[in-house]
Amino acid sequence: GSIGNHLANAARKKGWDVTICDNDLDALARMKHEIYPQRYGSFDKEIKLFHVNDVPRGQFDWIFIGTPPDTHISLAITSLKEKPTGILIEKPLSGPDLNDCDKLVLSAKEKGIKVFVGYDHVVAKSTGNFLKEAKKLKNINSLDVYFREHWGGIFNAHPWLSGPEDSYLGFYKKGGGALGEHSHALNLWQFLANEIGLGKVTKVSANLDYIKTDTLHYDRLAMLHLETEKGFLGSVVQDVLQKPALKFARIQSENEALEWQCLQDPYRDVVRKIDKEYNEKIFKKIRADDFVSELNHLEDAIKSKDKSPISIEAGLDTMLVIAAAHKSAITGKIVCIDYNKGYNINSLSL
């Protein structure tokens, strides 16, 4: 899929040796002859391609898992046996059933292997700048994050799919739908709330617009109201409907506002400080830069004793809220999260 090409290209830019495996030889051929050369000019002949049954085992420093979300946990648990330095799993980490998430965390700790989840926006330079400015604010009143983007762009990047029914995207239980696919918004909200001292999400009230047919069952719009352990209230909105896309965060304090936005054309991030004056800082980049920055962060995170913002624990905190949001939308009730009960469905209560 698309993410395998992104990560392979970023790794090659860093001079890493890269091996790609897939359970579909047609997918490997598509990468070699279509996706990679169309994006980057030509296929990098140094990249090795294998069917998953033939790929070498136990010789890699990093293993990246970019398969459908409902396969992530089992593949990660298997990958731990190869004893890599680290594992990066694409978002969302799992389906909302949270099956075996606790098992993965425990196994990774036992083996001393760090595991990460691919929420690359929180390790972007622009987000670091936004957070730096946010920590200067006094009396924060609101925090809102919106990732509203029509998923036509996803299908343009995966033209072999005729629509959401052809992949996990059309099934919320497999990690698809707006709440799973665009969970960068929720993850960014949680990251910011933790870093500026507002606490972890403990209560979730959600309205989701589900689409259900004989071949599909997904949420196209997710509206979340969140409350933290410190009683702070905020909102997250995600959808697969909006054109043009809106990827936006805003913090409102007593006297000023701070905004972060990822803009599409030209691709760039922007941080705005709005008080008596209007100040805007632009972070120029191309799409490929996001993944190089992510891999740079992984290298640093292995050396650091500080917890990474894309650690598996942070990714699982996001999964708990995703699971809570589905439960809230289905029951029509507020769902509470008890982090002391682990990363499983028993952590959620009405």
Side-chain angles (χ1 to χ4, degrees), residues 129-147:
N129 178 263
F130 182 76
L131 180 59
K132 180 181 177 181
E133 294 297 328
K135 289 182 176 180
K136 299 176 185 177
L137 298 176
K138 296 180 179 180
N139 300 321
I140 292 174
N141 295 320
S142 65
L143 168 60
D144 305 284
V145 182
Y146 302 156
F147 268 49

Side-chain angles (χ1 to χ4, degrees), residues 26-279:
D26 289 340
L28 295 174
R30 186 166 54 232
M31 176 185 183
K32 182 175 182 179
H33 299 295
E34 298 177 32
I35 305 173
Y36 202 97
Q38 288 172 8
R39 286 186 187 175
Y40 311 116
S42 62
F43 182 70
D44 187 335
K45 295 181 180 179
E46 295 298 316
I47 297 174
K48 305 173 187 69
L49 302 176
F50 287 92
H51 188 277
V52 68
N53 292 336
D54 302 321
V55 69
R57 305 280 181 176
Q59 65 184 47
F60 300 105
D61 300 297
W62 285 95
I63 296 176
F64 300 156
I65 298 173
T67 56
D70 57 336
T71 68
H72 286 170
I73 301 301
S74 61
L75 287 173
I77 290 172
T78 300
S79 296
L80 288 171
K81 298 175 183 178
E82 297 189 47
K83 299 180 180 180
T85 300
I87 296 173
L88 174 68
I89 306 170
E90 270 312 300
K91 59 81 196 164
L93 180 58
S94 71
D97 55 15
L98 305 176
N99 283 348
D100 286 336
C101 286
D102 278 335
K103 182 179 178 181
L104 172 59
V105 173
L106 180 62
S107 183
K109 285 183 178 179
E110 288 177 345
K111 297 179 184 299
I113 298 171
K114 290 189 176 182
V115 182
F116 304 86
V117 184
Y119 287 109
D120 56 312
H121 283 291
V122 300
V123 296
K125 291 181 180 179
S126 60
T127 307
N129 178 263
F130 182 76
L131 180 59
K132 180 181 177 181
E133 294 297 328
K135 289 182 176 180
K136 299 176 185 177
L137 298 176
K138 296 180 179 180
N139 300 321
I140 292 174
N141 295 320
S142 65
L143 168 60
D144 305 284
V145 182
Y146 302 156
F147 268 49
R148 310 190 66 167
E149 182 179 21
H150 191 277
W151 57 8
I154 298 173
F155 296 113
N156 288 338
H158 301 76
W160 58 95
L161 302 177
S162 60
E165 67 278 2
D166 287 346
S167 76
Y168 73 91
L169 291 165
F171 305 90
Y172 83 88
K173 290 183 179 180
K174 295 182 178 182
L179 190 52
E181 187 60 22
H182 290 323
S183 53
H184 279 293
L186 173 57
N187 180 264
L188 180 57
W189 196 100
Q190 292 173 284
F191 168 72
L192 294 171
N194 276 317
E195 290 294 320
I196 58 182
L198 303 176
K200 298 179 75 167
V201 175
T202 53
K203 293 182 180 180
V204 180
S205 176
N207 289 318
L208 274 65
D209 183 8
Y210 290 103
I211 301 298
K212 186 176 182 180
T213 70
D214 291 340
T215 57
L216 293 165
H217 193 187
Y218 69 92
D219 54 297
R220 64 178 183 176
L221 171 63
M223 306 183 76
L224 279 59
H225 298 282
L226 308 175
E227 182 176 340
T228 72
E229 57 196 331
K230 296 189 176 181
F232 182 84
L233 303 179
S235 69
V236 170
V237 181
Q238 301 170 191
D239 72 34
V240 293
L241 303 170
Q242 187 151 313
K243 293 188 285 188
L246 175 64
K247 298 181 179 181
F248 177 83
R250 182 182 175 101
I251 298 176
Q252 180 67 52
S253 72
E254 186 175 356
N255 298 314
E256 58 189 306
L258 189 65
E259 296 178 349
W260 172 95
Q261 190 168 3
C262 176
L263 294 165
Q264 301 298 304
D265 189 19
Y267 192 62
R268 66 203 186 280
D269 291 343
V270 178
V271 175
R272 307 182 188 96
K273 187 177 180 181
I274 307 168
D275 45 25
K276 294 179 181 179
E277 298 181 356
Y278 181 98
N279 297 297

